[in-house]
Amino acid sequence: MPRLRLRYFALFREQAGRREETLATTAATPALLYEELATRYGFRLGRAQLQVAVNGAFADWSTPLVDGDEIVFIPPVAGG
Amino acid sequence: MSTFEFRDAPLDPAALSRTLADPGAGGFASFEGWVRDHHEGRRVTGLDYEAFEELARAEGERIVAAAVERHGVLAARCVHRVGRLAIGELAVWVGAASAHRAEAFAACREIIDEIKHRLPIWKKEHYVEGDSGWVNCERCAEAAHDHRHGHDHAPAGAAAFDYARQMALPEVGSAGQQRLAEAAVVVIGAGGLGCAVLTALAGAGIGTLQVVDDDTVEASNLHRQPLYTVADIGRPKAEAATERLAAYNPRIVLHAHPVRFTAANAAALISAGDLVVDCSDNFAAKFLVNDVAVLTGRPAVLASIHQYEGQLQVVRPDTGGSCLRCLWPEAMRDGLVGNCVEAGVLGPVPAVLGNLQAIEVLKILLDLPGQLRDELLLVDLLGLEQRRLRVPRAAECAGRCTRIGPPVVETSGAELELTLPLATAAAQGYRIIDIREPEECYSDPLGLAGHDAIPMGRLLDGVATLDPGERYLLVCTRGARSLIAARQLRAGGRNNVWSLRGGLLRAQLPGAQPGRS
């Protein structure tokens, strides 16, 4: 199974109880991966309220994920 | 010096301001975001800022660079705090230095607005009662789970505008929404068509809207121009429209240009966007939009209305295809066919056509299928009929759209832009023309003896005649206006005109070849 590196920020960091982890998963896209994590950690934010970054750049929810990718789910922001 | 960075220690605004010092700067504007003691009726005791720093830095630098480019400021910078902050502490600092104050204010405003909405930075509020919450996150989660309510996305203000229904379209999604947020659209005319176009594009989340109109609101406008109220009568339309749209969607950037759209400013105004929408009410403006769009390679979405009917045409010089002059080789004189004042108009007619224009804009920006191309759409709202007429590209198009592909100026083999010090150019026999406006020349003189100062508008109007036996080098601040002017003059058959690449700013950069003696 591909292994993905996940990093968590803000609300997700607190709900997942960790800053990062490496996860072996069959999830082929960020959309499927988010479903898996939402079930595991009880993330309640809907996908429409999130953005996802793959390897440090904003990405589409249907981007194919490959072994070694770094994924960050980005909750609504509040800079400034 | 990085243009966007994070720090985990207190910021010193005075020291930050000094890093933007520049002898060419006549104005400096800064914005400071402070930690306040209340939010949504709750007493706040402090904040934690957290950021996905790698991505935020890269995006932040892009935001600052875009603002510098768009507003033509000399330098801008943003520093954002992370970690625990107390009430009254400085959370974010933005500064911009420029030759004139207006650009500095505008750049500063754009940077803070963009940063607030786009960057992965989160804040957690700590309340007097001892609990805490991530701003914009906790309530979303509740709304997402509570299907009796819609997504009351964010508490208030900017983040409350939610594109969820639009992003739910498979063709849009977050990537499409991001493309719209990065787009800048210029709308010429804020009348009946313009009100519909602007409202639709602001709602769709186009990142930047440039509103050009020199009219004031009249009582007879209101039946078809619902951006304005009775209280706006007598106010400049560009100002009233941007004010209303900013309240409608605080997530977008709006610029009002309460000026007449003329040959002198058309290139500069249209170049402020990726795409131009013609919502004017006269032929002179429509042909000018068409011609400048073709010259600058930008898509233009044109519409006209007449009583109960309308026409829509999309000009795509960026991909080839026909233009307005393929249809009407000679610009029509105004007065030939009546406008709204003379012929009358039913209020919803411009609204229908304006919304069709907005849809074509979104189709282009989102790369959706079914785009109107090489066609004229005729809409008859009495007969409820519409027809699409083919508009082939004319072999001898007066708008010169046939030269699309390799532009005429490039095929001639002559280089349009020159990179060399001004003094060298003068020594090589180029006649230097400073095409900046008189106040710019006054506040930042060229410092070169024996040059001409002819503002771009006058040069293009042909008031100043160029000697065919001379070679001319056009100079402006950044090399953008001079390039457009040189292109237009070349298109008019002047092959002895060049533009100084990068303009005076490039010449002033440390390490660059000195542009001034």
Side-chain angles (χ1 to χ4, degrees):
Chain A
M1 272 196 292
R3 293 171 69 78
L4 305 173
R5 181 158 177 254
L6 298 165
R7 294 172 64 193
Y8 299 104
F9 290 93
L11 186 64
F12 288 149
R13 175 174 52 71
E14 292 184 348
Q15 291 179 349
R18 61 196 72 202
R19 288 185 180 279
E20 56 178 79
E21 67 180 326
T22 303
L23 187 74
T25 175
T26 54
T29 64
L32 294 168
L33 177 64
Y34 184 72
E35 266 178 43
E36 184 182 326
L37 294 171
T39 310
R40 175 184 302 198
Y41 295 123
F43 295 161
R44 287 156 61 91
L45 286 167
R47 242 178 55 201
Q49 299 155 336
L50 302 179
Q51 288 185 303
V52 61
V54 177
N55 299 328
F58 287 112
D60 199 83
W61 286 96
S62 55
T63 309
L65 296 178
V66 299
D67 193 60
D69 277 350
E70 181 191 275
I71 291 98
V72 181
F73 294 104
I74 297 177
V77 302
Chain B
M1 177 185 85
S2 171
T3 57
F4 182 90
E5 63 184 287
F6 288 103
R7 290 202 191 155
D8 55 11
L11 307 179
D12 175 358
L16 289 168
S17 307
R18 282 196 296 274
T19 63
L20 295 177
D22 184 310
F28 166 78
S30 68
F31 170 82
E32 296 181 6
W34 297 352
V35 178
R36 68 162 179 258
D37 68 355
H38 63 278
H39 180 57
E40 291 230 289
R42 297 204 61 183
R43 298 266 310 280
V44 175
T45 57
L47 290 182
D48 277 312
Y49 272 100
E50 181 170 336
F52 177 10
E53 296 195 18
E54 302 92 307
L55 180 61
R57 259 198 299 272
E59 285 288 306
E61 284 173 1
R62 248 171 261 162
I63 288 169
V64 174
V68 167
E69 176 70 27
R70 179 156 26 246
H71 301 289
V73 299
L74 292 167
R77 185 177 184 194
C78 175
V79 183
H80 205 296
R81 278 292 307 276
V82 284
R84 173 64 62 96
L85 276 77
I87 302 302
E89 265 200 275
L90 180 50
V92 57
W93 183 91
V94 182
S98 71
H100 308 286
R101 66 186 181 284
E103 295 80 9
F105 278 121
C108 222
R109 174 73 192 252
E110 175 176 323
I111 291 168
I112 187 61
D113 286 347
E114 290 286 306
I115 277 166
K116 225 171 149 62
H117 305 142
R118 269 172 57 188
L119 294 196
I121 301 170
W122 301 276
K123 71 180 166 195
K124 184 178 201 172
E125 291 176 338
H126 298 277
Y127 306 109
V128 166
E129 292 79 7
D131 56 337
S132 61
W134 290 99
V135 175
N136 291 356
C137 294
E138 320 273 359
R139 297 244 316 223
C140 292
E142 284 157 25
H145 260 242
D146 186 349
H147 297 293
R148 285 168 302 168
H149 302 161
H151 287 160
D152 182 15
H153 193 205
F161 206 101
D162 185 334
Y163 305 112
R165 295 294 178 274
Q166 177 169 292
M167 288 165 70
L169 290 165
E171 296 81 7
V172 181
S174 56
Q177 195 61 49
Q178 184 62 27
R179 279 215 292 279
L180 298 182
E182 286 166 5
V185 173
V186 182
V187 179
I188 307 295
L193 291 168
C195 283
V197 167
L198 288 165
T199 306
L201 295 184
I206 300 294
T208 306
L209 289 174
Q210 308 277 358
V211 184
V212 184
D213 199 312
D214 73 329
D215 265 352
T216 51
V217 178
E218 291 176 29
S220 62
N221 298 148
L222 297 177
H223 82 117
R224 65 186 187 285
Q225 300 179 18
L227 271 181
Y228 313 116
T229 67
V230 173
D232 291 321
I233 292 171
R235 291 185 67 197
K237 283 187 182 176
E239 188 187 286
T242 50
E243 195 177 291
R244 182 82 184 273
L245 292 163
Y248 170 49
N249 186 355
R251 293 183 70 168
I252 63 170
V253 177
L254 290 147
H255 295 290
H257 302 274
V259 295
R260 186 150 185 78
F261 179 69
T262 67
N265 61 18
L269 287 168
I270 287 179
S271 300
D274 310 304
L275 193 150
V276 57
V277 189
D278 163 57
C279 299
S280 68
D281 62 353
N282 63 84
F283 286 115
K286 285 180 198 303
F287 280 93
L288 192 55
V289 169
N290 177 79
D291 294 354
V292 175
V294 168
L295 278 168
T296 58
R298 284 167 166 75
V301 179
L302 313 169
S304 316
I305 49 162
H306 184 72
Q307 295 185 329
Y308 305 98
E309 292 168 43
Q311 298 187 355
L312 184 67
Q313 187 180 5
V314 180
V315 178
R316 292 300 300 271
D318 53 324
T319 61
S322 55
C323 78
L324 185 64
R325 283 184 192 270
C326 296
L327 196 61
W328 313 106
E330 292 301 317
M332 261 178 286
R333 273 186 302 111
D334 284 298
L336 222 55
V337 272
N339 59 21
C340 294
V341 180
E342 299 148 11
V345 61
L346 205 59
V349 173
V352 170
L353 268 293
N355 277 296
L356 287 174
Q357 286 181 289
I359 287 175
E360 289 305 310
V361 168
L362 296 174
K363 279 155 77 174
I364 292 171
L365 293 175
L366 293 167
D367 202 18
L368 298 180
Q371 297 176 17
L372 193 68
R373 190 86 65 89
D374 293 337
E375 280 175 302
L376 184 69
L377 178 73
L378 300 176
V379 182
D380 170 5
L381 291 165
L382 278 186
L384 288 177
E385 281 178 329
Q386 63 177 47
R387 278 187 300 156
R388 295 170 77 152
L389 303 178
R390 288 247 328 126
V391 179
R393 200 156 88 178
E396 289 299 324
C397 171
R400 295 173 182 276
C401 66
T402 44
R403 72 188 177 82
I404 293 153
V408 152
V409 287
E410 255 80 25
T411 50
S412 72
E415 223 176 308
L416 193 58
E417 289 185 287
L418 297 181
T419 309
L420 80 177
L422 272 185
T424 310
Q428 289 178 3
Y430 286 97
R431 295 262 303 263
I432 314 288
I433 304 182
D434 186 347
I435 66 159
R436 297 174 301 160
E437 298 303 311
E439 62 268 24
E440 292 175 275
C441 300
Y442 177 75
S443 67
D444 183 19
L446 202 58
L448 183 77
H451 71 275
D452 295 313
I454 309 172
M456 178 169 172
R458 262 186 61 215
L459 185 68
L460 295 181
D461 279 346
V463 174
T465 48
L466 301 180
D467 181 346
E470 296 273 4
R471 290 179 303 162
Y472 293 94
L473 180 61
L474 309 186
V475 178
C476 68
T477 310
R478 310 176 63 82
R481 282 175 290 171
S482 59
L483 179 60
I484 290 163
R487 268 209 191 111
Q488 287 205 29
L489 290 168
R490 292 259 183 133
R494 302 282 191 178
N495 288 319
N496 53 339
V497 180
W498 286 263
S499 160
L500 181 69
R501 186 191 294 270
L504 294 174
L505 279 185
R506 184 190 170 102
Q508 287 165 350
L509 282 181
Q513 291 171 306
R516 308 192 202 183
S517 49

